[in-house]
Amino acid sequence: MTTPPKNPAASGKKDQFSSAGFILAAIGSSVGLGNMWKFPYITGQNGGAAFFLLFIVCLIVIGLPVLLAELAIGRAGRGSAATSFVKAGGSKVFGRLGLLQVIAPFLILTFYVIVAGWTLHYAVQSFSGHLYSNPDFKGQFNSFIGGYMPIVWQAVAILITGFVVVKGISGGIEKFNKVLIPGLIILLIVLMIRAVSLPGAGEGVSFFLNPDFSKLTPESALVALGHAFFSLSLGMGILLTYGAYVDKRQSLGSATIAIGVGDLIYAFVAGLIIFPTTASFGIEPDSGPSLVFIALPAAFSAMPFGAFFGGLFFVLLAIAALTSAVSLLEVPVTYLMDRWKWGRTKSVVIISVLVLLIGLPSALSFGIVPGLSEMGSKNFFDWLDFITSNILLPVGGLITTIFAGYFWKGAAEAAGLKSGWFRVWLFMLRYVAPILVLLVLLDTTGILKLK
């Protein structure tokens, strides 16, 4: 294996994405677990297709402008999520603030690989049939996460992730996504066809696609805004980092639209898998792990060839989790390479070991260690999720919008937009996106609650 240059962002022959590889990698970072186990639930709560239309508006209004800003800053700076602000022409203050977009993905990765490990374990259990030998799926899940086996699968997940990232951008991350994203698309189509063909699936499809605007509230708007922001991996340094490896000839505007469309399609198809399946078997489409690790296995157990389709579903989740984990790992790795001039292999090994060690409290917070499982209203895992998702990511998004909207003199050239579109983009970054991101921050932390 040829060792990548220690600092590819500064080397003459830069390791970078191809045009298609970059878009696939960026889509891979966004198609995580949230759109599968959260989006259908919040859609059902807030008026079905009415909420989906609201989500599309929020994606356009807040998601795409911030996404383009992150890519443009990354490509202009050609550095890490922190140093790109300075290299793009910003002050050292933004460089220090940009460190939050290195710290956040690192902390997220410490618990994200744990869930990725769960999906790998359940894929094996489903294909083998062991998952369906005991109808107490809630008991199975609680017994699994309350033991030590999640640590083993956590290690497997970080080993796979590190193996991909250590091979670099073109030889690792791009190749990984070029194989897994098409595979993910095939699995989505197969599972969607199976779901909508189930007896009684029409009720679920109708629930998802028929708009009920009476259920939309101001709170619905903030939920849609928050999900549009988080589903695109904004505020966590990923797109800033990936932007540093994008060819200067790549149209960032076109790439932004392609990434947004990819995220939207994934969310839509996820709804056409979850709602018909849960409706067919009379299961409430709950949110989070209880949906995918408890409710859906119950549905697969009653389905013809359920072990096979259940296995495909968990492979789908594993792909979504691992493509996101790869992008999360690349952020701190690029920072070490850019800031300290370390080699890629050294950086990957150090970050991977730290992720595994710092992730242990999260892995052990489901019953083994009482002090970690009972920390007020949440366990250690949930607190870390809350702090990163609800505080660090919106703050990271605010830093990006304020820098690009008010302090970045090279924004017009870096974004590559025509004058009319540039003025629209700048207006959104200055006057719309910061206010909406701030509202999301206040809402998700409980400071502001609209009904």
Side-chain angles (χ1 to χ4, degrees):
M1 180 182 74
T2 303
T3 303
K6 288 189 176 182
N7 184 16
S11 63
K13 189 175 181 180
K14 181 175 170 58
D15 183 21
Q16 62 183 25
F17 289 112
S18 67
S19 179
F22 158 65
I23 293 173
L24 287 174
I27 291 174
S29 74
S30 67
V31 293
L33 297 172
N35 271 345
M36 186 60 70
W37 73 24
K38 183 180 179 182
F39 181 74
Y41 175 70
I42 59 177
T43 299
Q45 276 191 323
N46 293 277
F51 180 82
F52 190 74
L53 292 173
L54 182 61
F55 173 69
I56 294 173
V57 172
C58 293
L59 197 77
I60 295 171
V61 169
I62 187 174
L64 299 188
V66 179
L67 193 160
L68 177 57
E70 292 198 0
L71 292 177
I73 294 168
R75 188 167 70 175
R78 305 304 253 188
S80 69
T83 57
S84 281
F85 285 98
V86 178
K87 291 182 177 183
S91 66
K92 290 183 179 179
V93 172
F94 280 102
R96 295 188 186 99
L97 291 172
L99 273 173
L100 288 175
Q101 298 199 47
V102 176
I103 295 170
F106 171 78
L107 292 177
I108 291 171
L109 188 61
T110 63
F111 62 83
Y112 202 85
V113 291
I114 295 170
V115 184
W118 296 353
T119 65
L120 292 170
H121 168 75
Y122 265 68
V124 172
Q125 290 292 97
S126 185
F127 279 126
S128 67
H130 293 312
L131 180 60
Y132 310 104
S133 60
N134 180 1
D136 182 11
F137 297 104
K138 182 176 181 180
Q140 280 194 68
F141 180 62
N142 290 336
S143 175
F144 169 64
I145 64 174
Y148 292 99
M149 279 305 294
I151 297 174
V152 175
W153 286 104
Q154 171 194 9
V156 171
I158 193 62
L159 280 172
I160 295 172
T161 305
F163 178 77
V164 173
V165 175
V166 81
K167 290 182 174 293
I169 298 299
S170 59
I173 297 175
E174 179 171 327
K175 285 185 177 180
F176 183 70
N177 281 283
K178 279 186 173 180
V179 172
L180 263 66
I181 296 301
L184 181 141
I185 292 171
I186 293 171
L187 288 175
L188 279 171
I189 294 172
V190 170
L191 289 169
M192 181 187 69
I193 293 172
R194 182 66 186 117
V196 298
S197 64
L198 289 169
E203 182 181 343
V205 174
S206 177
F207 180 71
F208 180 44
L209 297 183
N210 287 338
D212 184 356
F213 291 97
S214 67
K215 288 188 177 181
L216 290 182
T217 65
E219 177 71 12
S220 301
L222 290 181
V223 171
L225 278 169
H227 194 72
F229 189 82
F230 300 131
S231 69
L232 288 172
S233 301
L234 302 178
M236 60 181 77
I238 291 172
L239 297 170
L240 279 164
T241 301
Y242 277 7
Y245 297 104
V246 175
D247 191 286
K248 291 185 177 181
R249 294 169 294 181
Q250 169 77 51
S251 169
L252 293 185
S254 299
T256 296
I257 293 172
I259 295 165
V261 170
D263 180 67
L264 196 62
I265 292 173
Y266 178 70
F268 179 74
V269 176
L272 289 179
I273 293 173
I274 300 298
F275 282 118
T277 302
T278 53
S280 178
F281 294 96
I283 297 170
E284 286 296 321
D286 200 355
S287 179
S290 61
L291 169 67
V292 299
F293 296 110
I294 299 174
L296 288 180
F300 291 129
S301 68
M303 185 188 301
F305 305 104
F308 173 72
F309 286 106
L312 290 183
F313 176 76
F314 287 110
V315 168
L316 169 67
L317 286 185
I319 291 173
L322 290 172
T323 53
S324 295
V326 163
S327 61
L328 289 166
L329 179 57
E330 180 61 31
V331 177
V333 165
T334 295
Y335 176 75
L336 293 185
M337 293 165 58
D338 188 52
R339 177 65 178 82
W340 303 107
K341 314 304 178 188
W342 290 356
R344 177 169 285 273
T345 300
K346 178 180 178 181
S347 301
V348 169
V349 170
I350 289 174
I351 295 296
S352 297
V353 171
L354 288 175
V355 164
L356 187 61
L357 294 176
I358 295 175
L360 287 178
S362 292
L364 297 173
S365 63
F366 294 94
I368 299 180
V369 182
L372 296 173
S373 60
E374 300 172 1
M375 301 176 66
S377 60
K378 307 178 192 298
N379 61 23
F380 186 90
F381 181 106
D382 292 332
W383 274 118
L384 194 56
D385 182 18
F386 177 84
I387 292 168
T388 53
S389 300
N390 298 327
I391 299 175
L392 293 184
L393 298 193
V395 170
L398 278 174
I399 292 168
T400 297
T401 58
I402 291 170
F403 172 75
Y406 291 97
F407 294 94
W408 191 20
K409 296 180 180 179
E413 181 181 356
L417 297 175
K418 294 181 179 179
S419 58
W421 283 113
F422 174 73
R423 285 194 292 271
V424 172
W425 178 61
L426 196 61
F427 176 83
M428 300 302 292
L429 290 178
R430 284 183 174 180
Y431 306 113
V432 180
I435 295 172
L436 295 180
V437 173
L438 183 60
L439 286 174
V440 170
L441 174 63
L442 294 175
D443 178 62
T444 55
T445 54
I447 298 173
L448 170 69
K449 281 294 180 183
L450 298 176
K451 299 296 181 184

